Amino acid sequence: MDNGIGNWPTLHRVRHPHRVALIDATTGAEYTFEQLDLRTNALADALRSRGIGRGDRVALLTLNSTHMLEVVLAVAKLGAVAVPINWRLQAPEVQYILNDSGARLLFVSPQTAALARAAAEGTEVSGIVEIPSGEQRAAGEPSEYEALIAEGSDERVPVDVAADDLSMLMYTSGTTGFPKGAMLTHANHHWNGINNLTAGDGVGPRDVNIASAPLFHIGALGVITLPLLYIGGTTVVLETFTPDAWLDAVAKHRVSVAFAVPAMWAAIDASPAVETADLSSLRFGISGGAPCPVVLIESLTRHGVRLCEGFGLTETSPNVCVLEVDEAVAYAGSVGKPVLHVEMKVADGEGDEVPPGVIGELLVRGPNVFVGYWNKPEATAEALQDGWFHTGDLATCDEAGYYRIVDRKKDMIVTGGENVYASEVEQTMYRHPAVAEVAVIGLPDEKWGESVTAVVAAKPGSEVSEAELIAWTRERIAHFKSPRAVHFVDVLPRTATGKVLKRELRLRWSGDESAVRR
C-alpha cells in the first residue's frame, strides 16, 4: 500500500477529479487532481525506466513551477527521495549537496542549467533533465520535460511506501558550516498537513494558496503548499517573487491563504500597487522564517492583510507553533502556541523544563519531527535526545503558554558579562522611523568580550546618524543592550529564504564569519 505523499493526487482524483490542484501563474494553465495524478504517474514510469527506484535520490535545482511539484510527487510514487537544492548557492556548494546525498538524477531550470552542469561534474549524477522556464511554457515551446512525461505510461503502478519511509532530504541553509540533510518522512508531511487544519484560522479544501517563496525551502513547500495538496486545495505557483506579480496573482486567482517571509511581506507592503490591490479574497497570511517587525504587521493590517506569525524549522517539516491573527499585534514578538500535535518545552542544559519566563533551549517533539541528519550520526544524536528535538533556539514561555524565541544559541551576545539577545535590540530599532532593516551582531571586543553592533539599512530618503540611532535606542532599552557601533549598508545580505546572513556581516567587520566563541 502506498502511504506516501505521492498517493495524495491519486486519492483526490477519486474524490474530486475535476478540482484544480495547481495553477501556473505564468501561463494560467490549470491542472486538476486527475491531470496531476496522470502526469505524475507517467513521470514516475519514465523515471523508473531510467533506473530510479526505492531509496534513490533525485535532486531539483529549479525555480518554482507546477512541474517542480510534479517531480516531488512522482519521485515519492517510486519510493525514491527528493532533494530540493537552493539555486542561489555556488557550484561547489551545490556539488557538496549532490555528493552528500548521492543524487542520481538532477532536474534543472534553464536559468540554473549552467550552474547544475558545473556542480554535477565528478558526482554520481548520471542525467540532467531541464524543466522549461515560465517564458518557454508561455510560448508553448517543446521541452525535454514534457517529452519525458510522454515516454511514460499514465497507468498507476502503486509501490509499497511506508509512512516512515524517507521522502525528502531538505538541506539546512548552511549559514554556518556545511549544510546538513534533514531526513523527512512521508509521515512527517502527513502530520504537518493535519496540524494545518487547525493552525491559526486553519486551511481547507476550498482554499487557494500562492507559492511565491522558493519551493526548495521548507517554508514555501511545507507551511501551506504540501498541506493543501494533502487536504485537496489549490496552489498558484509563481516562478519568482515580485510584489506586483504577487498582488496581481492574489486578485486574479482569488487567493485565500499565503505564506511569505518578512522581507517579502515588507516588499508587498511597500509596493504602491498595494493601495489599490484587491485583497478581499485573502483570509489570512502567514509570516515565518524570521521575526516579523511589529510595525510591518501593523502596516499590513491597515492594508487589509490579516497576518499571523508562525515558527518552524526544516527539521519539523516545518510547522511548530502559530501566533493567531487576532494576537499578532498584542503579542508581537511571540511565536504563539504549539500546533495541535506538537509538544514544546523550554529546558535547561540537562533537558529539564525551566519555570515560566526563564530562558532556556526550545525542545520540540511530535510526529512531524524529522528522523535525523543524512549520514551524520553524531549531529543526529546531538539534535535528537530522549525523544525531543533540541532546536538550538533560546526561548521563554510565559504563564499563559505563549512562547517567545529569544535568539539562536550561537548568536547570543555576551558583553561585559551580560547576555544580550539580538532580536530584542532589532525589534526596538525597527521602531525608528528611518530604519528599514537592521541586524544586530556581536563583534570581538578586548574590554567587553563582545561589542553589540548594529548594521542598518535606512529607508529611502531618510537621514540618520550613528550617534542619533545609538542615543535613540538607549532611551528605550538598557545601555548595555544598545549598540556601541552602527554601520550603514544599502541592503542586508539575506539567504534566498529571507534570513539575514549574519556571518557575512561578521566577516565584513571583524574578519571572522562565525559567531563569537565563548
Side-chain angles (χ1 to χ4, degrees):
M1 180 178 179
D2 188 348
N3 289 293
I5 65 174
N7 200 42
W8 293 349
T10 304
L11 296 173
H12 288 300
R13 176 185 171 190
V14 173
R15 300 177 67 241
H16 34 68
H18 304 303
R19 182 178 295 171
V20 175
L22 301 175
I23 300 175
D24 184 333
T26 302
T27 67
E30 297 183 351
Y31 299 90
T32 66
F33 277 101
E34 180 174 44
Q35 292 170 317
L36 181 60
D37 191 42
L38 292 173
R39 285 173 61 83
T40 51
N41 286 348
L43 181 55
D45 187 56
L47 295 179
R48 185 185 295 109
S49 69
R50 293 198 175 197
I52 301 299
R54 178 183 298 279
D56 290 329
R57 274 78 66 200
V58 176
L60 301 95
L61 189 69
T62 66
L63 275 64
N64 288 1
S65 69
T66 57
H67 299 341
M68 179 185 181
L69 293 171
E70 288 177 338
V71 173
V72 170
L73 295 170
V75 167
K77 285 184 172 183
L78 294 170
V81 181
V83 186
I85 301 176
N86 183 343
W87 46 262
R88 293 181 178 175
L89 300 177
Q90 297 298 317
E93 297 170 301
V94 175
Q95 187 177 63
Y96 172 84
I97 294 174
L98 293 175
N99 277 324
D100 187 67
S101 65
R104 296 184 54 194
L105 190 65
L106 176 60
F107 283 84
V108 303
S109 297
Q111 300 94 323
T112 66
L115 169 64
R117 290 185 172 87
E121 291 185 9
T123 71
E124 296 179 31
V125 173
S126 59
I128 296 177
V129 179
E130 190 169 291
I131 291 174
S133 67
E135 184 178 349
Q136 290 170 330
R137 297 194 303 273
E141 295 180 15
S143 70
E144 181 183 12
Y145 178 79
E146 292 296 343
L148 182 62
I149 289 181
E151 290 177 13
S153 167
D154 62 13
E155 181 180 350
R156 181 75 160 101
V157 181
V159 174
D160 188 12
V161 178
D164 291 335
D165 284 349
L166 189 60
S167 69
M168 286 184 198
L169 292 179
M170 296 287 287
Y171 277 78
T172 56
S173 60
T175 51
T176 58
F178 289 110
K180 301 187 292 290
M183 297 189 289
L184 300 179
T185 67
H186 295 275
N188 290 154
H189 296 303
H190 174 88
W191 281 99
N192 183 62
I194 292 174
N195 284 332
N196 263 38
L197 293 169
T198 57
D201 283 6
V203 296
R206 298 297 179 183
D207 272 315
V208 179
N209 166 49
I210 182 166
S212 55
L215 285 167
F216 61 70
H217 181 254
I218 194 63
L221 187 63
V223 171
I224 302 178
T225 303
L226 279 181
L228 269 198
L229 280 171
Y230 166 70
I231 294 164
T234 303
T235 290
V236 180
V237 183
L238 282 178
E239 184 173 65
T240 55
F241 169 80
T242 66
D244 289 355
W246 187 94
L247 289 165
D248 287 343
V250 168
K252 179 178 180 179
H253 299 289
R254 306 301 294 164
V255 169
S256 60
V257 291
F259 165 82
V261 300
M264 294 167 65
W265 285 119
I268 292 165
D269 187 64
S271 171
V274 77
E275 300 295 340
T276 56
D278 180 4
L279 300 177
S280 60
S281 63
L282 192 63
R283 293 200 297 115
F284 67 91
I286 301 177
S287 179
C292 190
V294 65
V295 288
L296 177 56
I297 296 174
E298 291 170 340
S299 182
L300 285 165
T301 301
R302 288 192 294 271
H303 287 129
V305 178
R306 302 175 66 250
L307 199 69
C308 64
E309 191 159 8
F311 170 75
L313 305 100
T314 301
E315 293 89 341
T316 57
S317 62
N319 297 309
V320 171
C321 55
V322 173
L323 186 66
E324 308 281 348
V325 171
D326 57 359
E327 301 171 328
V329 173
Y331 290 88
S334 168
V335 291
K337 297 180 179 180
V339 295
L340 193 59
H341 298 288
V342 167
E343 293 180 74
M344 298 167 60
K345 70 175 179 179
V346 179
D348 59 21
E350 303 300 318
D352 296 323
E353 192 165 11
V354 300
V358 175
I359 295 172
E361 183 179 7
L362 181 65
L363 275 54
V364 177
R365 71 179 175 189
N368 58 318
V369 174
F370 79 141
V371 293
Y373 295 111
W374 180 258
N375 289 334
K376 289 181 171 54
E378 292 182 2
T380 297
E382 182 180 353
L384 297 173
Q385 301 178 35
D386 299 322
W388 290 92
F389 169 47
H390 291 241
T391 67
D393 286 304
L394 296 175
T396 63
C397 182
D398 64 21
E399 294 280 359
Y402 289 91
Y403 286 81
R404 183 181 297 268
I405 306 301
V406 178
D407 213 334
R408 292 290 294 175
K409 268 183 167 181
K410 59 181 173 54
D411 285 339
M412 184 177 69
I413 302 166
V414 180
T415 179
E418 295 281 359
N419 292 344
V420 176
Y421 302 102
S423 61
E424 179 185 2
V425 186
E426 289 164 356
Q427 287 287 353
T428 299
M429 296 186 73
Y430 265 120
R431 286 287 189 181
H432 191 283
V435 173
E437 294 185 304
V438 58
V440 172
I441 56 177
L443 298 181
D445 188 285
E446 290 185 1
K447 180 177 181 180
W448 302 106
E450 292 181 78
S451 177
V452 180
T453 304
V455 183
V456 171
K459 292 180 180 178
S462 297
E463 292 186 6
V464 64
S465 69
E466 176 185 37
E468 287 174 325
L469 271 181
I470 292 174
W472 187 90
T473 307
R474 285 185 172 184
E475 292 175 0
R476 288 157 176 82
I477 55 175
H479 284 204
F480 75 84
K481 296 180 182 179
S482 300
R484 296 180 178 274
V486 176
H487 302 291
F488 292 92
V489 295
D490 292 332
V491 65
L492 294 178
R494 294 180 181 272
T495 68
T497 59
K499 293 183 180 180
V500 175
L501 284 167
K502 290 191 175 182
R503 63 176 172 132
E504 291 191 8
L505 301 179
R506 294 188 190 98
L507 183 63
R508 178 173 176 180
W509 278 285
S510 74
D512 182 1
E513 69 179 15
S514 63
V516 178
R517 299 180 184 275
R518 291 176 291 278

